[in-house]
Amino acid sequence: MIRYPNGAPAKTKTQRKKTSKPVKTGNRGMGLESDINDSNLYYLEKNLCLITKRPTPINVVKVDYTRGAIITNAYFEKQSTTDYNGVYKGRYIDFEAKSTHSKTSLPLSNIPPQQVAHLERVLEHGGIAFFIIEFTMLQEVYLIDAKHVIDFINKKERQSLSYDFIKTNGYEIKRGFHPRLDYLPIIEEKYFK
Amino acid sequence: MIRYPNGAPAKTKTQRKKTSKPVKTGNRGMGLESDINDSNLYYLEKNLCLITKRPTPINVVKVDYTRGAIITNAYFEKQSTTDYNGVYKGRYIDFEAKSTHSKTSLPLSNIPPQQVAHLERVLEHGGIAFFIIEFTMLQEVYLIDAKHVIDFINKKERQSLSYDFIKTNGYEIKRGFHPRLDYLPIIEEKYFK
């Protein structure tokens, strides 16, 4: 059963290992998604902010109503926006999470043009837009403002965002037990002070 | 084919009539959803704000990869949030659209508790939260702040929101050709002046 966690119960490290499959470079690993969902649930419970994951868009072709609305034919649609959005202190927050197995860079091929366009619009309308980027092999996660990434992409000089670029322009997110990825203090520090 | 419009091409009135089925009282009619999507697309093109529809959450049970990732078993999940959110002038916007065939009221049974809880949280975090309510028989559509609706629900005095209550506490949304439901000027007037 494939689940799209939306504040789903956290898996232990052992459970995750058992069910994990090799993830292609640059695809968002379930580990990162699960860590962000866990953190959002923590923020929700502590009443600190409200960030939710957008459901995966699915085009439903056929539904069998004789069995109680079972979808029997459907396909995944391209995500035209980002995975997460929400509100903190009245401000609009929007971000995308990316994970890479490379120790040196995140290939830009993992950031589809429609996500870049969406984040550009968020910035134009005064929202807070960023990426959360995980270097799985280094066990480091960074928050980097979307503007840095968009400007870099628009220069068209390189095919990937280097680790150094992300480290220089981003902020490392503290890993912990609960929340597992405490990214909210960075938002507070960077956008509200 | 069931489609979940996300800025989908607008249907003409004739097309809509041909394909429309009787909608249960209080369920969001596809007409209202389509009108809001059309308006959001208009606002996007005019660069006025960025409001998107959350995809319908679907739990995927089985995927046939031999035919190119066709979903062969899945079911609809309960929407735990609202249908729309986005950003206008930096502020977070969140709303739910409801439609009723009744000329006198919107039954509260059409507003699930988890949506009320979600909108309460949006307000707590300083976001702008409201309902767009359509009286299909009267061809009138109102924008009403979520606080009015939540306070009314918490009183537990009545089982429905009366037309008069909505008219008194809400704002009628001008219908037009393009955008079909021009709700943004009401947000500007009510929350930014």
Side-chain angles (χ1 to χ4, degrees):
Chain A
M1 182 185 289
I2 299 169
R3 276 183 182 276
Y4 293 95
N6 218 332
K11 283 179 183 172
T12 64
K13 233 180 178 174
T14 335
Q15 280 179 310
R16 217 184 308 148
K17 268 187 188 159
K18 270 185 195 162
T19 56
S20 73
K21 280 186 288 183
V23 175
K24 277 184 292 177
T25 306
N27 274 2
R28 190 188 58 246
M30 287 304 278
L32 178 60
E33 186 173 306
S34 161
D35 287 350
I36 293 171
N37 292 340
D38 167 85
S39 305
N40 290 343
L41 194 58
Y42 172 88
Y43 295 146
L44 186 79
E45 283 164 359
K46 295 278 177 186
N47 213 20
L48 296 171
C49 69
L50 174 63
I51 312 271
T52 56
K53 189 181 175 300
R54 285 190 178 93
T56 306
I58 289 172
N59 197 319
V60 176
V61 181
K62 209 171 165 186
V63 180
D64 182 352
Y65 287 103
T66 63
R67 295 189 290 155
I70 302 273
I71 298 161
T72 55
N73 190 353
Y75 55 90
F76 296 103
E77 282 191 336
K78 219 192 282 181
Q79 175 73 277
S80 63
T81 59
T82 50
D83 273 346
Y84 296 93
N85 72 354
V87 56
Y88 175 59
K89 294 185 175 177
R91 291 283 295 281
Y92 178 77
I93 311 279
D94 195 304
F95 66 96
E96 178 66 21
K98 300 284 180 195
S99 186
T100 177
H101 277 353
S102 160
K103 288 177 185 173
T104 55
S105 68
L106 174 78
L108 290 182
S109 53
N110 292 295
I111 307 174
Q114 67 273 16
Q115 283 189 343
V116 176
H118 174 80
L119 289 167
E120 262 180 329
R121 285 196 194 101
V122 171
L123 291 172
E124 269 179 60
H125 291 293
I128 293 168
F130 54 86
F131 286 87
I132 288 184
I133 298 172
E134 179 191 40
F135 288 90
T136 50
M137 305 296 271
L138 305 171
Q139 295 195 291
E140 292 175 15
V141 184
Y142 292 87
L143 184 155
I144 181 168
D145 191 279
K147 196 168 181 335
H148 288 299
V149 178
I150 293 166
D151 287 350
F152 185 92
I153 290 172
N154 289 341
K155 277 190 197 157
K156 292 180 184 176
E157 282 173 7
R158 287 166 185 273
Q159 297 298 309
S160 64
L161 278 171
S162 74
Y163 171 76
D164 287 341
F165 179 87
I166 292 164
K167 203 175 170 67
T168 306
N169 295 290
Y171 301 80
E172 189 168 356
I173 303 174
K174 219 181 80 185
R175 284 185 168 281
F177 173 65
H178 197 50
R180 297 215 290 266
L181 271 181
D182 199 11
Y183 65 91
L184 195 61
I186 298 172
I187 298 179
E188 171 66 24
E189 185 65 31
K190 180 168 163 47
Y191 301 100
F192 290 86
K193 279 191 176 154
Chain B
M1 184 186 285
I2 299 170
R3 276 184 182 276
Y4 293 94
N6 218 330
K11 284 178 183 172
T12 62
K13 234 181 180 176
T14 334
Q15 280 178 308
R16 216 184 308 148
K17 266 186 191 160
K18 268 185 196 159
T19 57
S20 71
K21 281 185 289 182
V23 175
K24 277 184 291 175
T25 307
N27 275 2
R28 192 187 56 244
M30 288 303 279
L32 178 60
E33 186 173 306
S34 161
D35 287 350
I36 293 171
N37 292 339
D38 167 85
S39 305
N40 290 344
L41 194 58
Y42 172 88
Y43 294 146
L44 186 79
E45 283 163 358
K46 294 279 176 187
N47 213 20
L48 297 172
C49 69
L50 174 62
I51 312 270
T52 56
K53 189 181 174 302
R54 285 190 177 93
T56 306
I58 289 172
N59 197 320
V60 176
V61 181
K62 210 174 164 184
V63 180
D64 183 354
Y65 287 103
T66 63
R67 294 189 291 155
I70 303 271
I71 298 161
T72 55
N73 190 353
Y75 54 90
F76 296 103
E77 280 190 337
K78 220 191 283 183
Q79 175 73 276
S80 62
T81 58
T82 50
D83 274 344
Y84 296 93
N85 72 355
V87 56
Y88 175 59
K89 295 187 176 176
R91 291 283 297 280
Y92 177 77
I93 311 279
D94 195 303
F95 67 94
E96 178 67 20
K98 299 285 179 194
S99 185
T100 178
H101 276 353
S102 160
K103 287 177 186 174
T104 54
S105 67
L106 174 77
L108 291 182
S109 54
N110 293 296
I111 307 174
Q114 68 271 19
Q115 283 190 342
V116 176
H118 173 80
L119 290 168
E120 261 181 328
R121 286 195 194 102
V122 171
L123 291 173
E124 268 179 60
H125 291 293
I128 293 169
F130 53 85
F131 286 86
I132 289 184
I133 298 171
E134 179 191 42
F135 288 90
T136 49
M137 306 296 273
L138 305 172
Q139 296 195 290
E140 292 174 17
V141 184
Y142 293 88
L143 185 157
I144 180 168
D145 192 279
K147 195 167 182 333
H148 288 300
V149 178
I150 293 165
D151 287 349
F152 185 91
I153 290 172
N154 289 341
K155 277 190 197 157
K156 293 182 183 174
E157 282 173 6
R158 286 165 187 273
Q159 299 298 308
S160 64
L161 279 170
S162 74
Y163 170 77
D164 288 341
F165 179 88
I166 293 164
K167 203 175 170 66
T168 306
N169 296 289
Y171 300 81
E172 189 168 356
I173 303 173
K174 219 181 78 186
R175 284 185 168 281
F177 174 64
H178 199 51
R180 295 214 293 268
L181 270 181
D182 199 11
Y183 66 90
L184 195 61
I186 297 171
I187 297 179
E188 171 66 26
E189 185 64 32
K190 181 169 163 45
Y191 299 101
F192 291 84
K193 278 187 179 159

